[in-house]
Amino acid sequence: MRGAAGRRALYPGSFDPITNGHLDVIERATRLFDEVWVTVFSNSQKRPLFDAAERVALAEAATRHLRGVRVDQSRSLLVEYARSIGAGVIIRGLRAVLDFDYEFQMALMNKRLAPDIETVFMLTRENYSYLSSTLVKELAAYGADISGLVPAAVEAALKAKFASGRETGPADRGRNGE
Ligand code: ADP
């Protein structure tokens, strides 16, 4: 492992779209690591509202003020990608018990595939514990107020998406649309 690898962390996710909950994790992670790579992964199980390029652009706009943050996208296997960028740590966020099973399973599988890479869990801030991309999209689809839940660029992008009338709303896309 390269010397700097322990200081470089990867925060992978769908980020469809990035929320203030994600941003809070990223901000806190920049205090622990020299570099935090926020990487948009295309998950075959999920049909996103925003395409990968849009999700990257929104994540870039939301993190521009933060030093040491890079935004990227990937379709690779997570641990292979982490190795390719020299990240020794994968950051994941935990909101509630509900997240735990899935995160636990994924972290153990990644450990098996790449024993040299550590998964680090960061607890959500109390006031973001109920915040998810899915919920934000659902609210936006109904025109509800989402200010304070997402960065300004995301709020504008969601308004534009649902104002176009082409989107039918999360309810029509199935439960796994996060
Ligand atoms: P994924 O599809 O990989 O779960 P997400 O974009 O939904 O991607 O989430 C990325 C990571 O951020 C996950 O570890 C998730 O648990 C975490 N996360 C999502 N929302 C919050 C939040 N409000 N507070 C803390 N962590 C969060």
Side-chain angles (χ1 to χ4, degrees):
M1 200 185 291
R2 268 179 279 156
R7 300 291 181 107
R8 182 175 293 163
L10 165 65
Y11 183 34
S14 307
F15 304 113
D16 183 40
I18 192 163
T19 69
N20 285 348
H22 294 128
L23 208 52
D24 179 58
V25 168
I26 296 166
E27 278 170 0
R28 286 155 56 209
T30 60
R31 286 183 229 131
L32 300 174
F33 302 98
D34 295 331
E35 262 184 42
V36 177
W37 287 50
V38 177
T39 302
V40 170
F41 277 80
S42 301
N43 182 336
S44 55
Q45 310 288 311
K46 293 180 176 181
R47 192 182 149 228
L49 176 64
F50 293 100
D51 66 30
E54 290 174 312
R55 286 181 275 155
V56 165
L58 290 172
E60 274 170 353
T63 57
R64 201 157 284 147
H65 64 292
L66 293 172
R67 282 189 56 163
V69 174
R70 286 188 61 161
V71 178
D72 193 19
Q73 60 176 303
S74 175
R75 302 183 75 86
S76 310
L77 186 68
L78 181 61
V79 290
E80 276 172 13
Y81 172 83
R83 277 219 183 93
S84 76
I85 64 163
V89 170
I90 294 169
I91 297 169
R92 296 288 289 175
L94 284 179
R95 280 162 295 190
V97 183
L98 205 65
D99 283 337
F100 188 79
D101 259 359
Y102 173 72
E103 295 292 343
F104 185 70
Q105 196 181 12
M106 202 169 79
L108 288 184
M109 183 55 80
N110 286 335
K111 194 75 188 161
R112 187 192 143 108
L113 295 170
D116 53 323
I117 297 176
E118 289 298 333
T119 300
V120 168
F121 291 106
M122 296 192 59
L123 283 192
T124 184
R125 229 166 67 174
E126 202 181 345
N127 43 339
Y128 291 143
S129 60
Y130 56 87
L131 183 52
S132 69
S133 300
T134 300
L135 204 52
V136 161
K137 285 181 282 192
E138 209 153 304
L139 290 174
Y142 292 106
D145 182 16
I146 52 167
S147 57
L149 302 180
V150 291
V154 171
E155 192 180 342
L158 279 166
K159 277 193 182 139
K161 204 53 120 177
F162 289 111
S164 71
R166 282 190 304 268
E167 289 298 333
T168 46
D172 298 321
R173 285 199 312 279
R175 271 212 87 247
N176 262 341
E178 191 162 350

